[in-house]
Amino acid sequence: MSDRAEEERNRLSLLQRKLVDIASNCINLHTDEVDAAIDDSLAALGKFVRADRAYIFAFDFERGIAANTHEWCAEGVPPHIDELRALPLESIQEGLSHLIRGKVHNIPDVQALPPGALRDVLEPQGIRSMVAVPMMRNNRCVGCVGFDSVRLRRDYSDDEQSLLGMFARMLVNIDLRRRDERALRLAVAQAEAASR
Protein backbone atom coordinates (compact mmCIF):
# COMPACT_ATOMS: atom_id res chain seq x y z
CA MET A 1 0.00 0.00 0.00
CA SER A 2 1.35 3.42 -0.93
CA ASP A 3 2.05 6.06 1.70
CA ARG A 4 -0.75 8.21 0.27
CA ALA A 5 -3.30 5.36 0.44
CA GLU A 6 -2.21 4.50 3.98
CA GLU A 7 -2.53 8.16 5.00
CA GLU A 8 -6.05 8.35 3.53
CA ARG A 9 -7.07 5.10 5.25
CA ASN A 10 -5.82 6.44 8.60
CA ARG A 11 -7.64 9.72 8.03
CA LEU A 12 -10.92 7.94 7.30
CA SER A 13 -10.46 5.76 10.36
CA LEU A 14 -10.07 8.92 12.45
CA LEU A 15 -13.25 10.33 10.90
CA GLN A 16 -15.14 7.15 11.77
CA ARG A 17 -13.94 7.39 15.37
CA LYS A 18 -14.95 11.06 15.48
CA LEU A 19 -18.47 10.16 14.32
CA VAL A 20 -18.73 7.43 16.97
CA ASP A 21 -17.61 9.96 19.62
CA ILE A 22 -20.18 12.48 18.38
CA ALA A 23 -22.96 9.88 18.40
CA SER A 24 -22.01 8.68 21.88
CA ASN A 25 -22.01 12.24 23.18
CA CYS A 26 -25.41 13.08 21.64
CA ILE A 27 -27.10 9.91 22.92
CA ASN A 28 -26.52 10.91 26.52
CA LEU A 29 -27.52 14.56 26.21
CA HIS A 30 -30.72 16.13 27.42
CA THR A 31 -32.69 17.41 24.42
CA ASP A 32 -32.09 21.01 25.51
CA GLU A 33 -28.34 20.46 25.04
CA VAL A 34 -28.54 18.85 21.60
CA ASP A 35 -28.34 22.04 19.49
CA ALA A 36 -25.05 23.06 21.10
CA ALA A 37 -23.71 19.53 20.56
CA ILE A 38 -24.75 19.65 16.90
CA ASP A 39 -22.94 22.98 16.51
CA ASP A 40 -19.83 21.45 18.10
CA SER A 41 -20.12 18.40 15.85
CA LEU A 42 -20.38 20.53 12.71
CA ALA A 43 -17.26 22.40 13.76
CA ALA A 44 -15.35 19.18 14.44
CA LEU A 45 -16.38 17.57 11.15
CA GLY A 46 -15.91 20.75 9.13
CA LYS A 47 -12.38 21.16 10.46
CA PHE A 48 -11.62 17.49 9.99
CA VAL A 49 -12.64 17.38 6.31
CA ARG A 50 -11.00 20.79 5.78
CA ALA A 51 -14.25 22.48 4.80
CA ASP A 52 -14.68 26.21 5.23
CA ARG A 53 -18.33 26.02 6.20
CA ALA A 54 -20.58 23.24 7.52
CA TYR A 55 -24.34 23.53 7.90
CA ILE A 56 -27.68 21.82 8.21
CA PHE A 57 -30.81 22.65 6.25
CA ALA A 58 -34.30 21.43 7.15
CA PHE A 59 -36.70 21.16 4.20
CA ASP A 60 -40.31 22.31 4.53
CA PHE A 61 -42.00 21.18 1.34
CA GLU A 62 -45.41 22.54 2.39
CA ARG A 63 -44.02 26.06 2.71
CA GLY A 64 -41.53 25.56 -0.14
CA ILE A 65 -38.46 26.57 1.88
CA ALA A 66 -35.16 25.23 3.16
CA ALA A 67 -34.25 26.58 6.59
CA ASN A 68 -30.60 26.83 7.59
CA THR A 69 -30.78 25.61 11.21
CA HIS A 70 -27.08 25.24 12.15
CA GLU A 71 -23.85 26.60 10.69
CA TRP A 72 -20.15 26.53 11.48
CA CYS A 73 -17.62 28.68 9.61
CA ALA A 74 -13.85 28.53 9.61
CA GLU A 75 -12.05 31.62 10.82
CA GLY A 76 -12.36 34.42 8.26
CA VAL A 77 -15.24 32.77 6.38
CA PRO A 78 -18.48 34.77 6.59
CA PRO A 79 -21.62 33.07 7.92
CA HIS A 80 -24.82 33.01 5.86
CA ILE A 81 -27.25 31.38 8.28
CA ASP A 82 -29.26 34.56 8.85
CA GLU A 83 -30.05 35.14 5.17
CA LEU A 84 -30.72 31.44 4.56
CA ARG A 85 -33.43 30.89 7.18
CA ALA A 86 -36.11 30.67 4.45
CA LEU A 87 -34.37 29.80 1.17
CA PRO A 88 -36.96 29.06 -1.55
CA LEU A 89 -36.68 25.41 -2.58
CA GLU A 90 -37.12 26.41 -6.23
CA SER A 91 -33.77 28.24 -6.06
CA ILE A 92 -31.97 24.97 -5.26
CA GLN A 93 -34.11 22.67 -7.40
CA GLU A 94 -31.13 21.14 -9.22
CA GLY A 95 -29.45 20.03 -6.01
CA LEU A 96 -32.76 19.21 -4.37
CA SER A 97 -33.59 16.72 -7.12
CA HIS A 98 -30.52 14.66 -6.11
CA LEU A 99 -31.22 14.92 -2.40
CA ILE A 100 -34.90 13.90 -2.50
CA ARG A 101 -33.81 10.70 -4.25
CA GLY A 102 -31.40 10.03 -1.37
CA LYS A 103 -28.34 10.91 -3.45
CA VAL A 104 -25.36 13.02 -2.42
CA HIS A 105 -24.97 16.25 -4.39
CA ASN A 106 -21.27 16.91 -4.93
CA ILE A 107 -20.18 20.01 -6.85
CA PRO A 108 -16.39 20.06 -7.21
CA ASP A 109 -16.45 23.37 -9.13
CA VAL A 110 -19.32 25.84 -8.76
CA GLN A 111 -17.87 27.90 -11.64
CA ALA A 112 -18.47 24.92 -13.94
CA LEU A 113 -22.21 24.94 -13.23
CA PRO A 114 -24.39 26.32 -16.01
CA PRO A 115 -25.87 29.75 -15.29
CA GLY A 116 -29.04 29.36 -13.27
CA ALA A 117 -30.73 29.52 -9.89
CA LEU A 118 -28.40 27.11 -8.04
CA ARG A 119 -25.26 28.90 -9.17
CA ASP A 120 -26.92 32.21 -8.28
CA VAL A 121 -27.40 30.95 -4.70
CA LEU A 122 -23.89 29.49 -4.28
CA GLU A 123 -21.66 32.14 -5.87
CA PRO A 124 -22.63 35.08 -3.61
CA GLN A 125 -21.61 32.93 -0.63
CA GLY A 126 -18.15 32.53 -2.15
CA ILE A 127 -18.61 28.78 -2.53
CA ARG A 128 -16.09 27.20 -4.87
CA SER A 129 -16.98 23.56 -4.12
CA MET A 130 -19.63 21.89 -2.00
CA VAL A 131 -21.16 18.60 -1.04
CA ALA A 132 -24.65 18.09 0.37
CA VAL A 133 -25.66 14.81 1.99
CA PRO A 134 -29.38 14.05 2.33
CA MET A 135 -31.04 13.49 5.68
CA MET A 136 -33.61 10.74 5.04
CA ARG A 137 -36.50 9.75 7.31
CA ASN A 138 -38.70 6.86 6.12
CA ASN A 139 -37.36 7.24 2.55
CA ARG A 140 -38.25 10.95 2.56
CA CYS A 141 -35.66 13.69 2.44
CA VAL A 142 -36.18 16.02 5.40
CA GLY A 143 -33.03 18.10 4.95
CA CYS A 144 -29.33 17.92 4.30
CA VAL A 145 -25.97 18.47 5.89
CA GLY A 146 -23.56 20.38 3.70
CA PHE A 147 -19.92 21.27 3.50
CA ASP A 148 -18.57 24.22 1.52
CA SER A 149 -15.09 24.98 0.30
CA VAL A 150 -14.60 28.71 -0.07
CA ARG A 151 -10.83 29.14 -0.20
CA LEU A 152 -10.01 26.23 -2.54
CA ARG A 153 -11.88 23.96 -4.92
CA ARG A 154 -12.08 20.34 -3.87
CA ASP A 155 -13.88 17.11 -4.59
CA TYR A 156 -15.08 15.24 -1.50
CA SER A 157 -14.15 11.54 -1.77
CA ASP A 158 -16.72 8.73 -1.84
CA ASP A 159 -15.47 7.57 1.56
CA GLU A 160 -15.89 11.07 3.04
CA GLN A 161 -19.38 11.29 1.55
CA SER A 162 -20.29 7.90 3.00
CA LEU A 163 -19.05 8.83 6.45
CA LEU A 164 -20.82 12.18 6.28
CA GLY A 165 -23.95 10.24 5.36
CA MET A 166 -23.60 8.48 8.71
CA PHE A 167 -23.59 11.90 10.38
CA ALA A 168 -26.77 12.82 8.47
CA ARG A 169 -28.47 9.61 9.68
CA MET A 170 -27.37 10.39 13.22
CA LEU A 171 -28.96 13.85 12.95
CA VAL A 172 -32.25 12.31 11.80
CA ASN A 173 -32.21 9.93 14.79
CA ILE A 174 -31.49 12.80 17.16
CA ASP A 175 -34.42 14.74 15.71
CA LEU A 176 -36.72 11.73 16.09
CA ARG A 177 -35.66 11.37 19.73
CA ARG A 178 -36.38 15.06 20.34
CA ARG A 179 -39.82 14.75 18.74
CA ASP A 180 -40.63 11.67 20.84
CA GLU A 181 -39.54 13.42 24.05
CA ARG A 182 -41.60 16.52 23.20
CA ALA A 183 -44.65 14.35 22.49
CA LEU A 184 -44.16 12.49 25.77
CA ARG A 185 -43.86 15.75 27.76
CA LEU A 186 -47.03 17.07 26.08
CA ALA A 187 -48.92 13.84 26.83
CA VAL A 188 -47.82 13.95 30.47
CA ALA A 189 -48.85 17.60 30.78
CA GLN A 190 -52.26 16.88 29.22
CA ALA A 191 -52.80 13.89 31.52
CA GLU A 192 -51.91 15.97 34.56
CA ALA A 193 -54.25 18.76 33.44
CA ALA A 194 -57.07 16.27 32.83
CA SER A 195 -56.65 14.72 36.29
CA ARG A 196 -57.12 18.04 38.11
Side-chain angles (χ1 to χ4, degrees):
M1 183 181 298
S2 73
D3 288 344
R4 174 99 172 118
E6 179 70 23
E7 181 181 313
E8 184 62 17
R9 198 181 89 205
N10 289 338
R11 188 173 168 277
L12 291 173
S13 178
L14 284 171
L15 182 54
Q16 285 175 323
R17 278 184 279 190
K18 189 169 285 299
L19 286 172
V20 168
D21 290 345
I22 289 168
S24 298
N25 183 37
C26 289
I27 285 170
N28 298 317
L29 290 177
H30 187 275
T31 53
D32 295 341
E33 301 170 310
V34 168
D35 283 319
I38 289 172
D39 289 338
D40 291 344
S41 300
L42 279 176
L45 290 175
K47 289 173 188 174
F48 189 83
V49 301
R50 296 184 297 269
D52 295 311
R53 191 180 293 123
Y55 48 85
I56 299 168
F57 275 93
F59 298 152
D60 184 337
F61 291 99
E62 288 180 18
R63 293 176 45 211
I65 62 167
N68 193 180
T69 61
H70 297 80
E71 182 184 58
W72 164 83
C73 296
E75 189 173 328
V77 174
H80 288 279
I81 191 170
D82 290 335
E83 64 253 28
L84 298 174
R85 295 269 186 204
L87 181 67
L89 288 174
E90 64 194 29
S91 67
I92 58 167
Q93 192 60 46
E94 179 187 329
L96 187 62
S97 67
H98 290 276
L99 297 169
I100 60 175
R101 292 190 325 265
K103 306 255 186 245
V104 173
H105 192 209
N106 187 18
I107 304 174
D109 185 358
V110 169
Q111 292 290 308
L113 288 173
L118 182 60
R119 189 170 169 179
D120 291 345
V121 168
L122 301 177
E123 282 185 328
Q125 297 177 60
I127 300 170
R128 298 179 76 175
S129 303
M130 56 101 24
V131 63
V133 179
M135 294 168 45
M136 304 296 288
R137 182 185 312 131
N138 299 326
N139 294 320
R140 185 169 183 266
C141 185
V142 296
C144 70
V145 57
F147 299 85
D148 294 344
S149 295
V150 174
R151 296 177 179 117
L152 299 170
R153 274 190 232 98
R154 80 169 282 210
D155 193 358
Y156 292 88
S157 72
D158 290 342
D159 288 333
E160 286 175 322
Q161 292 174 37
S162 175
L163 292 171
L164 296 173
M166 288 183 223
F167 180 63
R169 288 188 293 279
M170 184 191 78
L171 291 171
V172 169
N173 289 332
I174 289 169
D175 186 56
L176 286 172
R177 189 184 101 196
R178 276 204 284 198
R179 288 170 187 256
D180 289 348
E181 287 183 14
R182 272 188 239 133
L184 180 61
R185 281 195 304 265
L186 179 62
V188 167
Q190 288 173 339
E192 287 174 353
S195 68
R196 289 183 190 148

